[in-house]
Amino acid sequence: MKIEIRDSYGAISKRAANLVAREIVVKEKPVLGLPTGDTPKRMYDILVNYYEEGLLDFSEVRTFNLDEYYPISGNDPRSFNKYMEDRLFEGVNIKNKNSHIFNGEVEEKKIEPHCRGYERKIADAGGIDLIVLGIGENGHIGFNEPGARFDTVSRVVELSKDTIEENFEDPGTAPERAITMGIKTITQSRKILLLASGEQKARAIKEATTGPVTREWPASVLQLHPDVTFLLDKGAGKGLDLDTGEEI
Ligand code: GLP
């Protein structure tokens, strides 16, 4: 496991964008796993800038997003489909057929085949080369909430009360479920990059990196992965007592 602590949110965003850009430059048909949330916003801005400057070509890039709320309309500003359109897909030359994200509008009885199809598409693409993750304050990755089994694949899940309160301004009107990649799906990726910013993530980061491997802190499963980097700003790394770039 590698832990990199940088001075600021801007610095981790640039570093994350560069690691993603590298994957796009060196792989013929790069397969990326992508997150949403506030943390990766600037990373996406930088990637779009690189594209605009002619530094990156997304025409052979395949992407698989981690999760989506359920049920939710793709036009709902709170949906991750809308987020990805606005923040990345519209800004670069990725092909529609190559950007995958769960459909928050799929009929209830079709959720299971939808999830099976998603797993199949990842496998058909040859697996994920690099997956970028955020982390919830309760240690969730994707929407794998505390208690999730490590052998889970894509499925519909109940959101915890904490997550709903953290993620929505008006929790009363929020969707109570989500469709998410499972912990197994995530950890099958060849490389994992987890981004965290701000002191409110410090506890989850400490548990994930130095605590026991436990279902109570889902991100602690990453300790089992052979190629994982935690990229943290000073706030998120506060509990760790490590210098920049130190490996444990
Ligand atoms: C949501 C997503 C997670 C993400 C988390 C953190 O719950 N399902 O994948 O990591 O938010 O979001 P933020 O970056 O806004 O703190």
Side-chain angles (χ1 to χ4, degrees):
M1 178 191 338
K2 198 170 167 213
I3 300 182
E4 290 187 28
I5 302 178
R6 309 242 160 176
D7 278 342
S8 62
Y9 172 66
I12 62 168
S13 303
K14 183 170 177 214
R15 174 83 174 131
N18 288 351
L19 291 169
V20 171
R22 176 179 189 277
E23 213 65 26
I24 296 174
V25 169
V26 301
K27 292 263 156 60
E28 245 166 69
K29 288 177 184 250
V31 184
L32 303 173
L34 296 178
T36 48
D38 286 334
T39 316
K41 283 181 178 168
R42 198 166 314 164
M43 173 189 82
Y44 289 130
D45 290 346
I46 296 168
L47 287 170
V48 171
N49 273 340
Y50 285 171
Y51 168 74
E52 286 169 350
E53 285 166 17
L55 302 174
L56 289 180
D57 174 13
F58 284 75
S59 61
E60 294 300 331
V61 176
R62 269 91 41 95
T63 63
F64 290 90
N65 264 83
L66 275 164
D67 47 21
E68 175 58 289
Y69 294 114
Y70 187 81
I72 199 161
S73 148
N75 297 321
D76 189 316
R78 302 170 304 175
S79 85
F80 292 162
N81 274 270
K82 182 90 174 72
Y83 173 110
M84 289 307 297
E85 281 302 322
D86 293 351
R87 304 214 157 255
L88 183 69
F89 300 151
E90 273 176 9
V92 299
N93 66 332
I94 192 163
K95 291 178 186 143
N96 236 335
K97 66 174 171 68
N98 288 343
S99 61
H100 305 279
I101 177 162
F102 293 110
N103 178 1
E105 299 181 60
V106 69
E107 264 178 72
E108 180 94 36
K109 60 174 191 270
K110 293 197 177 141
I111 298 176
E112 243 191 82
H114 179 51
C115 289
R116 271 201 306 277
Y118 204 77
E119 293 283 332
R120 201 177 322 113
K121 281 182 200 152
I122 294 174
D124 290 348
I128 295 173
D129 293 310
L130 170 67
I131 192 163
V132 184
L133 305 175
I135 187 169
E137 288 175 38
N138 63 4
H140 71 219
I141 46 176
F143 273 127
N144 296 283
E145 297 278 33
R149 293 176 54 98
F150 290 174
D151 57 2
T152 44
V153 293
S154 299
R155 68 205 186 287
V156 67
V157 294
E158 302 282 329
L159 296 175
S160 71
K161 208 169 147 271
D162 292 349
T163 297
I164 292 175
E165 277 167 12
E166 243 171 73
N167 290 14
F168 291 97
E169 276 167 25
D170 179 8
T173 64
E176 290 174 353
R177 290 184 290 168
I179 305 178
T180 183
M181 280 186 194
I183 291 192
K184 185 168 168 178
T185 325
I186 292 170
T187 52
Q188 279 172 338
S189 307
R190 284 182 274 282
K191 281 189 244 174
I192 300 180
L193 175 65
L194 185 145
L195 301 182
S197 168
E199 270 186 45
Q200 72 282 9
K201 300 289 172 73
R203 169 89 200 274
I205 291 297
K206 190 172 165 62
E207 296 290 343
T209 54
T210 63
V213 174
T214 165
R215 276 158 53 177
E216 293 322 303
W217 291 95
S220 67
V221 73
L222 302 177
Q223 293 178 33
L224 309 180
H225 194 277
D227 192 344
V228 58
T229 301
F230 286 81
L231 183 49
L232 315 172
D233 68 5
K234 281 192 170 152
K238 209 169 176 200
L240 291 183
D241 212 20
L242 287 177
D243 289 331
T244 308
E246 188 165 338
E247 290 190 31
I248 60 172

